[in-house]
Amino acid sequence: MMRQYAGNLKSVTLFSILRDDEIQAISRIATLKNYDKNSIVFQEDEIGDSLYVILSGKVKISLFDEEGKEYILDVIRKDGFFGELSLIDELPRSANVITTENSEFLVIHRRDFIRLLLENPAISISILKTLSRRLRSADERIKGLAFLSVEGRVLKYLLDIGEQSGLRLKNHIIIGNGPTQIEIANSCGSTRETVSRSIKSLIRKGDISVRKRQYTLHPSSDESI
């Protein structure tokens, strides 16, 4: 039954280097799970034993401080994956994962995943590359929080989303169904009110245009960062 998802796995960066027979082998050990929007997939400090591949939907990776304020570390979309750290180091989950849309995942359990790594060293290299990209992204976010103004952080955050999933038309990048101001605030270490003021300022400067939750970015005028 899971063979029908082999094509989905092939489009995931982690598995794109594998042969068709290897993809079929993975599809046979995976299980299917569906989550409604705003569902908790797992929480920080839980024992983890599964890797999740996103077939459809979107999740946010976040932490909460002692006062309950949320800090969004990353947003992962279709064809992305998460949960690999606990499979590798066997330590508890390092963050919370919550769906932001109705989502469907393929789930691979640790025992099968480790066997997969041993049989396919190329997957290990792919995971290292992915972890390196995520570490670099985390470093960039730390730099942004340390050195950029809130307005600069908001613009950089939107540009990052635009690069990942936006539609590029000539000198513009369009983000359809973009993040809410609360999501932007939680990702930029700010408040909704401050983000609202920053967005209005960016609109006045011509860096972005906003229509409901559609953002149009003008990268050529990103000097304001």
Side-chain angles (χ1 to χ4, degrees):
M1 182 180 71
M2 299 303 293
R3 291 182 181 180
Q4 63 182 299
Y5 297 103
N8 299 88
L9 288 171
K10 190 67 175 178
S11 64
V12 176
T13 304
L14 183 60
F15 304 125
S16 61
I17 55 177
L18 299 183
R19 301 189 309 268
D20 288 345
D21 61 317
E22 294 171 327
I23 291 289
Q24 291 289 348
I26 295 172
S27 68
R28 288 194 291 269
I29 64 175
T31 57
L32 190 66
K33 281 193 175 182
N34 290 279
Y35 289 82
D36 293 331
K37 180 179 179 180
N38 296 325
S39 295
I40 298 173
V41 182
F42 56 72
Q43 294 178 294
E44 183 183 7
D45 293 329
E46 280 186 8
I47 300 301
D49 67 347
S50 302
L51 169 76
Y52 295 77
V53 176
I54 304 177
L55 296 180
S56 64
K58 186 168 60 175
V59 303
K60 60 181 177 181
I61 315 297
S62 64
L63 295 171
F64 293 89
D65 64 19
E66 294 180 354
E67 297 178 351
K69 178 175 173 55
E70 183 181 32
Y71 296 87
I72 299 177
L73 306 178
D74 200 0
V75 174
I76 304 178
R77 297 169 173 80
K78 181 180 180 297
D79 296 335
F81 64 93
F82 59 92
E84 73 283 352
L85 287 180
S86 290
L87 295 194
I88 295 171
D89 61 20
E90 298 188 50
L91 295 176
R93 299 292 192 187
S94 58
N96 307 285
V97 176
I98 303 168
T99 59
T100 57
E101 299 175 357
N102 293 339
S103 301
E104 186 174 45
F105 307 134
L106 284 180
V107 183
I108 302 174
H109 294 286
R110 173 185 282 125
R111 180 183 60 187
D112 298 319
F113 184 70
I114 295 301
R115 184 171 68 247
L116 187 67
L117 293 182
L118 294 174
E119 294 173 354
N120 299 275
I123 295 182
S124 301
I125 300 299
S126 184
I127 286 180
L128 288 174
K129 289 181 178 179
T130 300
L131 292 179
S132 295
R133 283 196 298 271
R134 290 181 179 174
L135 181 59
R136 288 181 185 276
S137 178
D139 286 344
E140 286 298 316
R141 179 161 297 185
I142 291 171
K143 289 179 184 177
L145 291 173
F147 301 117
L148 294 179
S149 65
V150 174
E151 186 174 308
R153 282 180 247 159
V154 170
L155 181 56
K156 186 178 185 306
Y157 174 71
L158 292 174
L159 286 170
D160 288 344
I161 293 178
E163 288 296 324
Q164 293 174 17
S165 59
L167 175 64
R168 182 176 287 275
L169 295 174
K170 294 184 178 179
N171 296 325
H172 309 306
I173 299 174
I174 299 174
I175 303 172
N177 193 30
T180 65
Q181 290 188 3
I182 291 177
E183 289 172 334
I184 296 173
N186 290 343
S187 297
C188 296
S190 186
T191 64
R192 191 198 64 78
E193 293 77 12
T194 303
V195 165
S196 178
R197 290 194 296 271
S198 296
I199 288 176
K200 290 177 182 176
S201 176
L202 291 169
I203 293 172
R204 286 196 303 271
K205 294 177 180 178
D207 292 322
I208 66 174
S209 304
V210 182
R211 183 178 180 181
K212 294 185 178 179
R213 285 177 61 187
Q214 177 177 294
Y215 296 83
T216 302
L217 313 178
H218 314 289
S220 60
S221 52
D222 61 3
E223 295 86 1
S224 58
I225 290 182

